[in-house]
Amino acid sequence: MIETLNKAFCALPGVGNKTAQRFVYHLLERNREGGFELAKALVDAMEHVKHCSSCRTLSEKNICNICANDVRDNSQLCIVETPTDIHAIEQSGVYKGKYFVLSGYLSPIDGIGAAELGLDELEQKLKDQNVEEVILATNATVEGEVTAHYISNMVKQFDIKITRIAHGIPIGGELEYADINTIAHALSGRKSYN
Amino acid sequence: MTKVDLTPAFLIHRRAFKDTSLLLDFLTLDHGKIRLVGRGLRNSKTQIQVFQHLKISYSGKGDLKGLNNWEADDTPRQLKGDSLILGMYVNELISRLLHEQDPHFELFEIYKNFIESLATIDTLSSRWLLRLFEHNLLQELGYGVNLSEDIVGEKIDLTAKYEYQHQDGFVRSVTGKILGKSINQLLIDDIDNMPDTQQLKVCRDLNRMRLKPLLGDKPLQSRSLFFSK
């Protein structure tokens, strides 16, 4: 039984045999109550959390809280690669629109195409809903750029404004330590200062 | 134990590996295509990017070696839109057709020139650049075809029409679609000496025909993704 639990903990990222052993003995010897809570929470989450039918993020409800929130701006749709990206953007507190989660990026070599990213669903969403602006917030990697390009081509058929999040020097960062690609991008995407 | 210091390379593909590492496929000048593990690279602030001329150092025993160090040896390059797609397509070709640790010195230069030119030219020229790249790639892999003579050993006539027979070469034919002039333009390998739009399509089909047996049953994903429309 201890061995099984040990192996089960190894499913977590960054947890090897040694760390798993520490977890197991800690729960068994010092915190049985916490162990029960963890077990219950895990079973609940694994059984009930699914993908939101509207934006594909993880949610225990059929429609997630953000999609169900009527106060949020329906005309803006922000496309992100993962549910954790939503969390990051939400923490910034500046975006009040809705989201769409791709759960990955286009990667022809790995066989990940439009269907795997739910782009058919996105197209349908753009047809059905009154979206005025699509914000491409895929990562600033070449793969993210390819994905953004593909989606922008798809969105062009609708009369929708397409924007891409800005890339550049991080706030509090120093130019001296930025890499050349970031500096080049920051310069080419400069804005008038007033 | 193999140890390689600062060899010229291009990153072809990267994918997540374990928690914080990346599996990286490189095209290197001295050792051809190689796969390395970049330990902890996923959390690194400065990300290693494709389409960038790099110098990489790696070492290790066995098949999967580890990337120790890398530096960019290039001006910043941002491929956008169509050029980006062509770059991805070429990377998939290289990833599919090259064997690991089989050096192709010429091909490295051809790839380098291709990427450098891609960032600066217009859409139509980029198609021709791609056709020349495919042709040179096939030539390098040993699937070259005689562009100066037809199958019976006669010099290619610039005004005549030809058909392509797989691995044998060109056959003169009245119903052929390939103009002798286009075959000659492939031979000259000059980006400025470009065929017209019609012949550019013929060259595309020719290269597809030549690539097909090498790719086998599995079609190129980037082709179906980006060029199907």
Side-chain angles (χ1 to χ4, degrees):
Chain A
M1 223 175 263
I2 294 177
E3 197 54 32
T4 319
L5 186 58
N6 208 332
K7 270 190 193 155
F9 270 122
C10 288
L12 293 170
V15 176
N17 209 13
K18 199 91 182 167
T19 318
Q21 211 170 39
R22 274 183 48 228
F23 288 170
V24 170
Y25 283 104
H26 176 83
L27 291 177
L28 288 176
E29 289 198 307
R30 302 211 177 89
N31 196 355
R32 292 244 169 179
E33 210 171 300
F36 278 121
E37 251 175 62
L38 176 68
K40 191 174 168 301
L42 258 180
V43 169
D44 272 355
M46 291 306 122
E47 274 182 359
H48 299 115
V49 174
K50 53 198 171 213
H51 291 278
C52 166
S53 61
S54 175
C55 73
R56 303 193 357 136
T57 192
L58 293 171
S59 166
E60 67 261 39
K61 296 178 203 153
N62 202 18
I63 301 277
C64 73
N65 288 341
I66 295 179
C67 290
N69 189 343
D70 290 335
V71 183
R72 294 189 76 110
D73 191 353
N74 268 323
S75 68
Q76 285 185 320
L77 188 68
C78 181
I79 318 271
V80 293
E81 285 183 18
T82 62
T84 45
D85 294 339
I86 292 192
H87 187 68
I89 296 177
E90 281 301 291
Q91 275 188 325
S92 76
V94 293
Y95 180 67
K96 300 290 175 218
K98 306 247 165 132
Y99 294 95
F100 187 84
V101 181
L102 302 170
S103 297
Y105 50 78
L106 287 180
S107 179
I109 296 180
D110 298 322
I112 299 171
E116 285 76 12
L117 301 186
L119 294 184
D120 306 343
E121 281 173 54
L122 178 63
E123 197 170 359
Q124 197 56 44
K125 202 177 164 77
L126 294 175
K127 264 182 209 159
D128 298 344
Q129 295 176 10
N130 202 12
V131 178
E132 285 167 22
E133 180 182 357
V134 165
I135 302 167
L136 301 166
T138 51
N139 287 338
T141 55
V142 169
E143 296 83 355
E145 199 59 45
V146 170
T147 313
H149 176 73
Y150 187 87
I151 296 174
S152 77
N153 270 351
M154 191 183 88
V155 177
K156 267 180 200 156
Q157 57 176 307
F158 308 101
D159 185 23
I160 295 176
K161 184 177 167 193
I162 309 164
T163 52
R164 176 98 171 98
I165 51 162
H167 316 308
I169 311 293
I171 301 291
E174 292 176 33
L175 275 181
E176 187 186 345
Y177 297 109
D179 66 298
I180 49 167
N181 277 304
T182 307
I183 294 179
H185 224 127
L187 270 177
S188 65
R190 68 186 185 278
K191 291 199 294 188
S192 49
Y193 188 76
N194 38 30
Chain B
M1 176 90 174
T2 317
K3 193 167 187 303
V4 176
D5 260 336
L6 294 175
T7 186
F10 275 98
L11 179 65
I12 297 297
H13 183 59
R14 57 178 204 177
R15 57 171 75 84
F17 181 64
K18 293 192 178 164
D19 301 328
T20 57
S21 301
L22 292 171
L23 259 192
L24 305 157
D25 292 345
F26 288 99
L27 176 68
T28 63
L29 175 65
D30 302 315
H31 305 91
K33 192 178 81 171
I34 49 165
R35 175 167 291 180
L36 302 174
V37 184
R39 288 195 181 84
L41 269 193
R42 267 172 83 187
N43 294 344
S44 150
K45 263 193 172 168
T46 310
Q47 288 282 338
I48 190 164
Q49 295 276 3
V50 293
F51 309 132
Q52 204 86 68
H53 188 228
L54 310 164
K55 287 211 167 143
I56 60 167
S57 305
Y58 62 94
S59 61
K61 294 174 195 164
D63 284 343
L64 195 58
K65 297 174 179 56
L67 179 73
N68 300 334
N69 188 23
W70 65 275
E71 52 188 71
D73 186 26
D74 205 352
T75 47
R77 181 173 304 111
Q78 286 152 17
L79 295 186
K80 282 199 180 306
D82 220 43
S83 334
L84 188 60
I85 304 302
L86 295 191
M88 293 299 277
Y89 168 76
V90 161
N91 280 2
E92 192 182 0
L93 269 186
I94 291 200
S95 169
R96 288 279 298 275
L97 298 182
L98 257 62
H99 293 292
E100 284 205 24
Q101 306 207 14
D102 183 10
H104 292 277
F105 304 108
E106 290 278 320
L107 185 64
F108 186 85
E109 283 306 315
I110 293 166
Y111 182 83
K112 187 166 175 267
N113 290 337
F114 175 78
I115 294 297
E116 280 168 0
S117 314
L118 201 54
T120 55
I121 58 175
D122 61 88
T123 311
L124 198 62
S125 309
S126 71
R127 296 286 183 224
W128 177 229
L129 188 72
L130 179 66
R131 302 288 87 95
L132 290 173
F133 178 85
E134 287 171 336
H135 168 70
N136 287 324
L137 173 68
L138 284 161
Q139 210 85 355
E140 263 298 306
L141 293 175
Y143 296 92
V145 57
N146 193 344
L147 296 174
S148 42
E149 289 172 354
D150 68 9
I151 227 163
V152 290
E154 276 182 29
K155 198 168 178 287
I156 294 284
D157 181 348
L158 298 189
T159 53
K161 286 176 176 169
Y162 293 86
E163 263 176 42
Y164 174 71
Q165 275 186 5
H166 182 57
Q167 287 191 343
D168 295 332
F170 297 99
V171 188
R172 200 169 167 148
S173 150
V174 198
T175 53
K177 283 189 179 148
I178 314 164
L179 265 182
K181 190 173 168 231
S182 306
I183 299 174
N184 191 251
Q185 279 165 317
L186 272 175
L187 177 70
I188 296 169
D189 191 4
D190 177 6
I191 181 69
D192 294 325
N193 185 12
M194 190 166 69
D196 59 32
T197 326
Q198 181 63 33
Q199 279 298 302
L200 209 51
K201 275 193 184 139
V202 172
C203 286
R204 179 195 68 189
D205 295 341
L206 169 69
N207 280 351
R208 279 192 183 180
M209 223 157 35
R210 290 173 67 190
L211 284 166
K212 202 171 174 226
L214 307 182
L215 293 167
D217 299 334
K218 222 173 117 195
L220 284 172
Q221 287 282 338
S222 44
R223 193 183 281 162
S224 54
L225 202 54
F226 302 121
F227 304 125
S228 56
K229 288 165 198 164

